[in-house]
Amino acid sequence: MASITYEGLEVLYTREQIAERVVEIGAQITRDLNGEKLVMVGVLKGAALFLSDLARAVHVDTTFDFVAVSSYGKGQRSSGAVKLIKDLDEPIEGKNVLVVEDILDTGLTLSYLRKILLQQRPKSLRIATLLDKPSRRIEKIEADYVGFSIPNLFVIGYGMDYAERYRNLPDICLMSPDHPE
Ligand code: IMP
Ligand code: MG
């Protein structure tokens, strides 16, 4: 039976399930780096919580940077145009970069970010996403590390928002269309 939070929201992944998966992904990233250094690039704001947990599960010499993007478009429908509103603080040329994202949805955001980050000639560029919604893809892009692959559901919590709310929920919950705001 699905568990329900005090907010009356249905839980899709509990904090324990998330923590377990983050440790597995961290171990995989550690192995793949073979002792080399890493720059973790978080996509604000949704990936902030995932990055902070993943960083502690990756056992290599790591620095952090953050980018922020905005997509043009009205309401839920995106025009497909993505704009960088906060750039990297440090150059990534010659470095092993891991882009850390909350959700890979249409792929527009990560395709755009990958393109502009590759222009800086990193040594490697990989993508870690907590959630993947493959059925929603418009741009052809896959993540190297995926926490959970989910159907077309709107989720909130563990960094993810609905109109900027619910980012602090410890579990990943379902936003039902009839949930009272
Ligand atoms: P896309 O891959 O460019 O379509 O955009 C992915 C971004 O859309 C994510 O980084 C989220 O900020 C947002 N997003 C997509 N699906 C959801 C969801 O179910 N809940 C909250 N935010 C979402
Ligand atoms: Mg996001």
Side-chain angles (χ1 to χ4, degrees):
M1 207 182 80
S3 55
I4 306 291
T5 68
Y6 67 92
E7 300 249 15
L9 297 161
E10 189 182 326
V11 176
L12 184 61
Y13 295 107
T14 63
R15 62 202 78 181
E16 292 83 10
Q17 289 173 309
I18 300 166
E20 197 175 312
R21 191 70 191 111
V22 168
V23 166
E24 287 171 1
I25 296 173
Q28 210 180 330
I29 294 168
T30 305
R31 276 197 301 276
D32 292 350
L33 278 163
N34 239 326
E36 292 190 19
K37 291 184 189 176
L38 180 66
V39 184
M40 297 179 79
V41 174
V43 185
L44 294 172
K45 304 170 204 165
L49 277 65
F50 179 40
L51 185 141
S52 73
D53 285 341
L54 186 61
R56 285 174 285 181
V58 169
H59 304 296
V60 295
D61 186 341
T62 302
T63 58
F64 299 166
D65 210 334
F66 293 93
V67 292
V69 294
S70 71
S71 48
Y72 294 108
K74 291 189 192 123
Q76 300 282 357
R77 198 174 303 162
S78 168
S79 64
V82 182
K83 184 184 157 200
L84 193 70
I85 53 175
K86 188 229 169 284
D87 205 345
L88 294 170
D89 292 335
E90 298 289 334
I92 53 166
E93 186 172 349
K95 299 187 172 165
N96 294 306
V97 173
L98 180 70
V99 179
V100 181
E101 175 62 306
D102 54 357
I103 307 185
L104 176 50
D105 188 32
T106 64
L108 293 166
T109 306
L110 281 173
S111 298
Y112 167 79
L113 273 177
R114 182 174 60 179
K115 191 183 82 188
I116 60 163
L117 294 176
L118 284 174
Q119 285 167 0
Q120 287 201 33
R121 303 186 162 279
K123 179 174 181 186
S124 66
L125 188 136
R126 293 194 179 102
I127 296 170
T129 188
L130 177 64
L131 299 177
D132 187 9
K133 296 187 195 174
S135 67
R136 294 260 306 158
R137 209 74 94 248
I138 293 172
E139 289 285 332
K140 189 173 156 31
I141 184 162
E142 297 303 326
D144 301 275
Y145 309 98
V146 175
F148 304 101
S149 195
I150 63 167
N152 184 18
L153 301 166
F154 197 85
V155 294
I156 49 176
Y158 194 68
M160 293 167 285
D161 72 309
Y162 174 73
E164 295 299 328
R165 294 176 59 203
Y166 305 110
R167 293 194 194 275
N168 65 323
L169 296 176
D171 308 299
I172 298 174
C173 300
L174 289 180
M175 179 86 228
S176 64
D178 53 356
H179 182 74
E181 288 167 33

